Amino acid sequence: MTSIKEQAAISRLLSFLQDWDNAGKVARNNILNNFIEANQGKTAPELEQEFSQGASLFLVRLTTWLRLTYPLLNRKTVSNRYLIEFLEVGGVLTLLEILALNKIKEEDKKESVKLLQVIANSGRKYKELICESYGVRSIAEFLAKSKSEETQEEVQVLLDSLIHGNPKYQNQVYKGLIALLPCASPKAQQLALQTLRTAQSIIGTTHPSIVDCVLKVLCTMHLEVQYEAIELIKDLVNYDVCPALLKGLVALLIPSFKETSKLQSQIVSDSSVLELTSHLPLFLQQAAAAKAIGILARHNTTLAEEMLHLRVIHSLMAAMGNTDHSNSQRQASLTLEYFVQLFPVVEENVRKTMGEELYKLFLSNAENLYMNIDSIQADILAANKVNVTRGSSPCLQCCTSAASPTAT
């Protein structure tokens, strides 16, 4: 026989469930909020005692309601048992569906992401379940479309969790992050680049598409995105994609206006402002490439030598002659200054091509050279024929006693 205390608990449970079953949306929200407030932090055994071993009955009602109407559980303390029951009734698919629904509030979607974090952090098999439910694509698409930076940061936490301790699907997450790079959201790009650095170190191999995707990100006007892209580039030069990456960076120093010109030909206008606007992404990419090349060269002399083979000096000087974009001139000039200091053969050829007057201006203040040159000097830089493809042993200006350099 049940005790009086147990009978009272059963009576409370039945009354509670009856109230829930008879309640509408607003009343159920109130019941749920009161339940959360009263039971925050309780363990599974404590909940079972409170509900006379019938807490699962409420969980089933709650998840069924969730699937039917997509309201959101604001907070939830999940034990392993309740987590399994939640998943058995399609909890993961429901949470992922919430992310794709247009009529759901952003705040609710953020809480859905938090629940997915809880599930992912419960172990490898739960991460696999999310991935098997096409979760990576749903989560990545939501990151790209979300308008809330706070929500996007929660998504990054989720993706970071899915990349750790998930060997079966870590490549799927990695590819999903790469696919995010062309998206229109700067915040999503920034977070994807950050997470890619972690993913790259875990996976250890590269996907062929990563070079093109990262280089295209350099056309951004958002400095925080550019910074993360260059940080990833610094990591990627340690992998097999290094040759392609260096070749791509040097190529960006002399933009191809083929596609842009095609666009221009469709517009009947003589406006130079319109032309500059259409070229702006390529100029931003040019400046960022010059900056990245300088950073790589300063970090690793071997990379600097490799870029000499790619005629980086010719391309840097050409970028310095781009009077339509001062930052391209500035970044290229600063990077060229380092190569001049590092390789005597570069110093010799740059001096010869610039002429003494322009070279003195360059030496006196490379960063502000673009402010002090005239149109003729800019043309000299843009049309330069420098062809340095090999350097002698690299040295600083104080080491000019090195062997005679070779220029080809």
Side-chain angles (χ1 to χ4, degrees), residues 185-187 189-191 193-194 217-232 280 283-285 287-289 291-292 295 325 327-328 330-331:
S185 167
K187 185 65 176 180
Q189 288 179 312
Q190 179 189 12
L191 296 175
L193 288 163
Q194 288 175 350
V217 171
L218 293 179
C219 69
T220 180
M221 63 177 62
H222 299 272
L223 293 179
E224 69 279 9
V225 178
Q226 181 192 112
Y227 170 81
E228 296 297 345
I230 293 176
E231 288 298 301
L232 179 56
L280 181 59
F283 291 157
L284 292 169
Q285 198 175 28
K291 181 179 179 179
I295 290 172
H325 195 62
N327 197 39
S328 289
R330 175 176 168 271
Q331 296 293 348

Side-chain angles (χ1 to χ4, degrees), residues 155-309:
V155 177
Q156 182 195 28
V157 172
L158 175 57
L159 288 169
D160 185 74
S161 176
L162 292 175
I163 201 70
H164 285 87
N166 189 16
K168 186 175 180 180
Y169 290 103
Q170 62 187 17
N171 270 296
Q172 185 183 102
V173 182
Y174 175 61
K175 292 175 185 177
L177 290 166
I178 295 174
L180 268 171
L181 296 184
C183 78
S185 167
K187 185 65 176 180
Q189 288 179 312
Q190 179 189 12
L191 296 175
L193 288 163
Q194 288 175 350
T195 314
L196 264 172
R197 294 187 65 198
T198 302
Q200 190 62 70
S201 65
I202 291 173
I203 293 172
T205 58
T206 57
H207 191 274
S209 68
I210 195 169
V211 172
D212 187 50
C213 289
V214 173
L215 292 180
K216 285 181 178 178
V217 171
L218 293 179
C219 69
T220 180
M221 63 177 62
H222 299 272
L223 293 179
E224 69 279 9
V225 178
Q226 181 192 112
Y227 170 81
E228 296 297 345
I230 293 176
E231 288 298 301
L232 179 56
I233 287 171
K234 286 163 59 178
D235 292 345
L236 289 174
V237 294
N238 298 311
Y239 295 87
D240 59 341
V241 295
C242 180
L245 194 56
L246 298 182
K247 183 178 179 180
L249 283 170
V250 174
L252 293 179
L253 294 174
I254 304 179
S256 170
F257 297 112
K258 182 178 179 181
E259 293 302 318
T260 309
S261 299
K262 194 181 298 182
L263 174 65
Q264 282 298 119
S265 66
Q266 298 171 5
I267 305 173
V268 183
S269 173
D270 295 327
S271 171
S272 60
V273 174
L274 181 61
E275 183 178 349
L276 286 176
T277 301
S278 63
H279 288 166
L280 181 59
L282 296 177
F283 291 157
L284 292 169
Q285 198 175 28
Q286 179 188 48
K291 181 179 179 179
I293 289 169
I295 290 172
L296 294 178
R298 288 176 174 84
H299 274 76
N300 190 326
T301 302
T302 301
L303 295 178
E305 291 185 282
E306 289 295 322
M307 286 185 280
L308 285 184
H309 299 318

